[in-house]
Amino acid sequence: MASASESRIALVTGASRGIGRAIARQLSGQGLRVAVTGRSQDDLAEVASSCDGPTLTLPADITDGNAVDNLFAEVEGAWGPVEVLVANAGAGYSARVDKTTDADWQRMLDLNLTAPFRCLRRAIPRMRVSGYGRIVVVASVAARIGEPYIAAYTASKHGVLGLVRSAAAELAATGVTVNAVCPGYADTPMTASTIDGIVAATGRTVEQARQALERKQPIGRLIAPEEVAAAVWFCVENGAVSGQGLNIDGGAVQS
Ligand SMILES: NC(=O)c1ccc[n+]([C@@H]2O[C@H](COP(=O)([O-])OP(=O)(O)OC[C@H]3O[C@@H](n4cnc5c(N)ncnc54)[C@H](OP(=O)(O)O)[C@@H]3O)[C@@H](O)[C@H]2O)c1
């Protein structure tokens, strides 16, 4: 039997690899039409070809001035208004607070906080009119706690959780839910870069660096991208959940 969500229209940012790729595949597997965006057209094409249903590949740097408006306009032109928004694109940056430059700070805020804000601002009016919308932001355990050497990233992720909570309160009676998922260290290219950074900074082996990150999760392993994608789907399916940050972190942060 066709699911109720069969023809819903989703936009997933940062869908060209890692967690975003798993989310795109999850939503497609549930019958949604999925627009995928990221900067690499080749990677987006690979993700689209691995999805079950209709996809749109929309290459863009989401921090460019008009990128968000253009992305939404392209989805609307092809299919109609975005009904399920997953703001996942993001990146990390490691440095001591006193070594963090203005440019590094701004880069973190532009990608991890301002771009999701622009996506919400663009998505909400049409969702409000239709009386249905699902917004999920991929934040981080860094939205919950502070760790050393990631102040700019942590500030951006704390900020985006604040955005989610405020938007959820504003939209509570409209049929639009807004949630965040907060992964621990996940098995993605971003974490591979973190491991490379640890190796370069400490002289540890790749295996030692990976084990150090695995131990950050009490379950003793990295989080699978599919486990984050399953949490996103939970937020999409359940209209009674809003304003939450779901920790997908193997028990690292209890809340
Ligand atoms: N990995 C972890 O351990 C972890 C933990 C907690 C939270 N998270 C969060 O989860 C999200 C996904 O992380 P991931 O681990 O899957 O990272 P990833 O493997 O590095 O993937 C990041 C995605 O974001 C896209 N992206 C980056 N900069 C972009 C830009 N300027 N414009 C458009 N797209 C851009 C990348 O595509 P292109 O490079 O093709 O543009 C890619 O699709 C991020 O928000 C991250 O902060 C990750």
Side-chain angles (χ1 to χ4, degrees), residues 55-91:
T55 54
L56 277 179
T57 58
L58 304 172
D61 184 332
I62 201 148
T63 61
D64 283 351
N66 294 323
V68 168
D69 270 345
N70 293 342
L71 285 168
F72 277 78
E74 287 192 72
V75 178
E76 287 161 3
W79 289 337
V82 171
E83 298 168 293
V84 174
L85 165 68
V86 184
N88 163 77

Side-chain angles (χ1 to χ4, degrees), residues 12-23 37-44 47 58-64 67 71 87-92 107-108 110-112 115-116 137-143 153 156-157 160 181-194 213 217 222-223 225 228 248:
V12 182
T13 75
S16 60
R17 58 176 186 266
I19 290 169
R21 179 182 190 277
I23 293 167
T37 185
R39 288 165 300 182
S40 164
Q41 168 60 34
D42 288 350
D43 289 349
L44 292 173
V47 172
L58 304 172
D61 184 332
I62 201 148
T63 61
D64 283 351
L71 285 168
N88 163 77
R107 191 165 46 83
M108 284 293 98
D110 287 349
L111 179 59
N112 295 337
V137 174
V138 179
S140 169
V141 286
Y153 181 73
S156 69
K157 292 296 187 179
V160 89
V181 294
C182 301
Y185 284 94
D187 198 357
T188 72
M190 178 172 156
T191 294
S193 298
T194 303
L213 296 187
Q217 289 67 236
L222 300 180
I223 306 300
V228 182
I248 318 298

Side-chain angles (χ1 to χ4, degrees), residues 88-234:
N88 163 77
Y93 169 70
S94 177
R96 280 170 37 174
V97 176
D98 54 305
K99 301 284 187 195
T100 300
T101 66
D102 283 355
D104 293 328
W105 175 263
Q106 195 59 51
R107 191 165 46 83
M108 284 293 98
L109 295 188
D110 287 349
L111 179 59
N112 295 337
L113 180 55
T114 303
F117 158 66
R118 287 178 177 156
C119 287
L120 265 70
R121 183 173 63 182
R122 186 60 171 75
I124 285 168
R126 302 291 291 266
M127 292 179 173
R128 196 191 272 276
V129 165
S130 74
Y132 176 88
R134 296 287 181 264
I135 297 172
V136 186
V137 174
V138 179
S140 169
V141 286
R144 300 287 197 181
I145 53 166
E147 282 197 26
Y149 314 125
I150 51 170
Y153 181 73
T154 301
S156 69
K157 292 296 187 179
H158 272 63
V160 89
L161 186 55
L163 169 69
V164 162
R165 287 170 165 161
S166 189
E170 207 171 298
L171 293 164
T174 67
V176 181
T177 65
V178 191
N179 290 289
V181 294
C182 301
Y185 284 94
D187 198 357
T188 72
M190 178 172 156
T191 294
S193 298
T194 303
I195 289 170
D196 290 345
I198 294 170
V199 169
T202 66
R204 292 186 211 169
T205 66
V206 168
E207 192 51 35
Q208 287 168 335
R210 185 181 168 95
Q211 284 169 358
L213 296 187
E214 288 172 344
R215 283 195 296 271
K216 298 264 189 187
Q217 289 67 236
I219 56 174
R221 63 171 175 82
L222 300 180
I223 306 300
E226 291 73 20
E227 292 172 320
V228 182
V232 169
W233 178 243
F234 169 76

